[in-house]
Amino acid sequence: MLINDKFQLKKFSGKGGWTYIDLPSLSVKSVLPFGWILVNGQIDDCAIRNQKLMPRGNGSYFFSVNSKIRKAIKKEQGDSVSLVLSIAELLNQITEELLACFNNEPKHFYTTFQSLSFEKQQEFLGQIYASKTEDEKATKIIKMFQQLDILNSSH
């Protein structure tokens, strides 16, 4: 469990400002780009899956509460919410697409991947899943295979 507490919804000033929850400093190492932390949990009675905590640059984080969530919990800026979060493990999210990529390569790629530390596996997957386009995702998968090949050759 990463967080289990009550928080007040806040809003960044200005037109289009995000509604968010300020979170304390967390002793978690991010494996995603930009220092994001991927979480699951719930806000009040609304389930949260694969949402990102965003760093503020001072060790603390904030959690964006989009309109879909606000409508589901019927709350806005100034309201108090119950927030329960745990870190989402990217390893539970290896897609059929990525498994197909592993199946199209020599077996040692997957074996080498499995031999990596949990943190290194999460780092690879975080980079792949943070891709904004299919081309970027493909490029990152190819780069991962190249690095896995180098690691395999060094053993």
Side-chain angles (χ1 to χ4, degrees):
M1 185 84 41
L2 184 63
I3 291 175
N4 186 358
D5 210 344
K6 289 196 178 289
F7 296 92
Q8 184 179 40
L9 292 178
K10 298 181 179 183
K11 189 169 185 174
F12 288 115
S13 62
K15 185 176 180 176
W18 293 358
T19 301
Y20 67 98
I21 297 171
D22 255 332
L23 299 172
S25 295
L26 303 171
S27 58
V28 176
K29 183 176 183 268
S30 171
V31 296
L32 295 173
F34 311 112
W36 294 331
I37 298 173
L38 198 64
V39 294
N40 293 328
Q42 67 182 52
I43 181 168
D44 285 350
D45 59 355
C46 180
I48 297 167
R49 295 255 328 127
N50 301 323
Q51 298 290 316
K52 295 176 185 104
L53 300 184
M54 293 170 262
R56 297 200 109 192
N58 61 0
S60 67
Y61 288 80
F62 72 94
F63 176 76
S64 176
V65 183
N66 63 33
S67 62
K68 181 179 175 184
I69 293 172
R70 292 193 313 274
K71 286 177 187 172
I73 63 175
K74 297 178 176 77
K75 295 197 177 168
E76 290 294 333
Q77 173 186 358
D79 292 333
S80 180
V81 296
S82 176
L83 185 66
V84 178
L85 298 176
S86 59
I87 295 176
E89 294 183 8
L90 292 171
L91 289 179
N92 293 335
Q93 300 175 36
I94 294 180
T95 62
E96 301 266 335
E97 173 187 47
L98 187 54
L99 286 175
C101 291
F102 273 114
N103 287 334
N104 287 331
E105 297 296 328
K107 186 175 179 173
H108 75 271
F109 284 108
Y110 191 66
T111 306
T112 303
F113 179 82
Q114 289 180 309
S115 73
L116 299 174
S117 69
F118 175 80
E119 289 78 15
K120 187 63 179 174
Q121 291 175 1
Q122 296 285 290
E123 182 181 331
F124 275 131
L125 296 175
Q127 290 170 1
I128 291 166
Y129 294 136
S131 300
K132 302 246 187 274
T133 66
E134 290 301 311
D135 285 346
E136 182 182 354
K137 186 189 298 181
T139 299
K140 289 181 181 179
I141 291 171
I142 291 167
K143 183 177 178 183
M144 177 186 68
F145 284 143
Q146 290 169 340
Q147 291 177 353
L148 291 173
D149 200 29
I150 290 167
L151 288 170
N152 183 62
S153 298
S154 67
H155 286 109

